[in-house]
Amino acid sequence: MSQKSAAYLHNQQREAIRQLARSWIWRSELPTWLLIITIYGGWFGVLACWQTLGLWPATLLLILFTAWYMSLQHELIHGHPTRYPWLNQLFGTLPLAVWYPYGLYRDSHLAHHRNHQLTLPDEDPETYYFSAERWRRFPRWQRRVIVLRNTFAGRVLLAPLLDIIGTLATMMQAFRKRDGRNIAMWLIHGALLALLFAWLQACGFSIVWFLLAVSYPALGITKVRSFLEHRADDEPLARSVINEAAWPWRLLFLNLNYHSVHHDLPGLPWYGLRKVYALYREEYQQRNRGFVVQGYREWLRRFLFAAVDVTAHPTSFAADRVSKDDD
């Protein structure tokens, strides 16, 4: 785990984690290796046998494995299961989820982990907040779309489409600016996607069905995890949620529901997040100022059709008022 980016609760916790990291399980990264085998074996195995399984059971299983694969990609980005980024990248480059090149996700996500800039518009590439000035410039219809996206239903059903549009716009921008590095990334992504589609056709599985009935719902499931994952707060360590979700969600999202712990200790392996949280539960809940929810059902109950207030960042409003006062 990267010591430079880690924010320990105290020296006792640092030493406790060092002791855990010396165990054979942690040193071997066996849980992550088993995860890689399970996800790849499950994804390709379901496709190979989908006619035996039936279309709907195969579709549901593919949604599960595709969403799980995106959680695995996150783990690979954070330095697991090997110390070699290029090798980890090999395990996550295949576009099983279709839309996002691994390199694009990696660069964006690592920039997101600058905790002092977390949630800030124009600084955090994964924030859902906007600057006050940009929010004012949005036409009414765009504000309505954003508010709809900020409901739980909108985040699951609409947000994947908006993300896909944004990703394709990023691709076109790379070609328009003749950005060699990003063009190469997109060309590799496209070549791998062509191979993947050829495999789908060889299995007799509809590409269109995969895009609409597998890939898109899988993206929607990832939005369950990221719903109100961060909030604006003057204390950076209080900006990430702790979601005490049930074990199926924890397994699917590889314990990223303990998001505050992950942002404090980004190099902690997925199978260590729950253990560390359990050891220091009260301290973490104090550290993030009670930003704690009792599972994703709580978000569903409170925000199914009600929007969370994630629009203009309050800091940008304050800065905007100061600027006007100075004028």
Side-chain angles (χ1 to χ4, degrees), residues 22-243:
R22 293 191 184 107
S23 69
W24 180 81
I25 290 291
W26 283 44
R27 286 187 290 108
S28 68
E29 294 264 11
L30 180 61
T32 304
W33 288 113
L34 292 175
L35 188 71
I36 291 170
I37 294 169
T38 301
I39 291 174
Y40 271 106
W43 197 92
F44 283 99
V46 168
L47 265 178
C49 303
W50 77 267
Q51 291 176 328
T52 301
L53 292 168
L55 179 60
W56 284 106
T59 297
L60 293 174
L61 286 171
L62 284 171
I63 291 170
L64 173 66
F65 282 117
T66 302
W68 212 6
Y69 178 70
M70 286 186 274
S71 296
L72 171 63
Q73 286 181 309
H74 174 272
E75 191 71 6
L76 297 168
I77 285 169
H78 282 287
H80 307 283
T82 81
R83 68 182 67 182
Y84 306 108
W86 64 267
L87 183 55
N88 294 336
Q89 181 168 340
L90 285 179
F91 294 125
T93 298
L94 201 59
L96 302 188
V98 177
W99 302 104
Y100 306 113
Y102 178 89
L104 185 69
Y105 176 34
R106 177 199 60 214
D107 294 347
S108 171
H109 187 70
L110 292 179
H112 164 73
H113 267 271
R114 297 190 291 258
N115 282 352
H116 62 288
Q117 296 178 340
L118 199 61
T119 75
L120 300 179
D122 305 319
E123 300 293 343
D124 178 1
E126 295 186 7
T127 187
Y128 282 96
Y129 288 95
F130 303 93
S131 67
E133 181 182 357
R134 189 179 178 194
W135 179 253
R136 278 197 304 269
R137 290 203 308 264
F138 285 151
R140 183 176 297 178
W141 69 265
Q142 193 168 2
R143 291 189 186 191
R144 287 178 176 174
V145 169
I146 291 168
V147 170
L148 178 59
R149 183 192 64 180
N150 286 345
T151 66
F152 192 90
R155 191 64 62 88
V156 172
L157 300 175
L158 177 62
L161 176 61
L162 299 178
D163 283 359
I164 289 168
I165 292 171
T167 302
L168 294 177
T170 299
M171 178 188 67
M172 291 187 289
Q173 184 179 39
F175 280 91
R176 188 169 58 249
K177 291 184 174 181
R178 299 181 181 179
D179 183 342
R181 178 176 176 272
N182 283 318
I183 287 173
M185 176 190 69
W186 278 105
L187 290 177
I188 293 171
H189 183 75
L192 291 173
L193 200 55
L195 290 174
L196 202 67
F197 286 168
W199 167 256
L200 287 171
Q201 286 188 317
C203 293
F205 200 88
S206 167
I207 294 174
V208 174
W209 180 261
F210 182 84
L211 292 175
L212 297 179
V214 175
S215 177
Y216 196 92
L219 291 176
I221 288 175
T222 67
K223 297 301 179 184
V224 171
R225 175 184 63 78
S226 64
F227 185 81
L228 202 51
E229 200 168 52
H230 298 287
R231 66 177 179 181
D233 194 284
D234 57 355
E235 170 53 59
L237 294 176
R239 294 175 186 171
S240 302
V241 74
I242 293 171
N243 192 319

Side-chain angles (χ1 to χ4, degrees), residues 1-6 8 17 21 26 78 80 264-269:
M1 183 170 61
S2 172
Q3 301 294 320
K4 188 179 294 184
S5 59
Y8 295 96
I17 291 174
W26 283 44
H78 282 287
H80 307 283
D264 275 11
L265 305 169
L268 204 66

Side-chain angles (χ1 to χ4, degrees), residues 269-321:
W270 65 274
Y271 45 87
L273 284 168
R274 176 171 169 78
K275 183 182 291 290
V276 170
Y277 174 67
L279 286 172
Y280 305 100
R281 183 173 181 267
E282 291 185 7
E283 289 174 88
Y284 271 113
Q285 293 192 8
Q286 292 174 5
R287 187 184 183 98
N288 82 338
R289 297 183 177 180
F291 187 23
V292 182
V293 293
Q294 303 304 312
Y296 296 103
R297 183 180 298 180
E298 182 174 338
W299 287 154
L300 179 67
R301 176 178 56 81
R302 292 172 57 188
F303 298 112
L304 179 59
F305 299 116
V308 294
D309 186 16
V310 181
T311 52
H313 197 281
T315 301
S316 67
F317 267 134
D320 189 52
R321 283 195 297 269

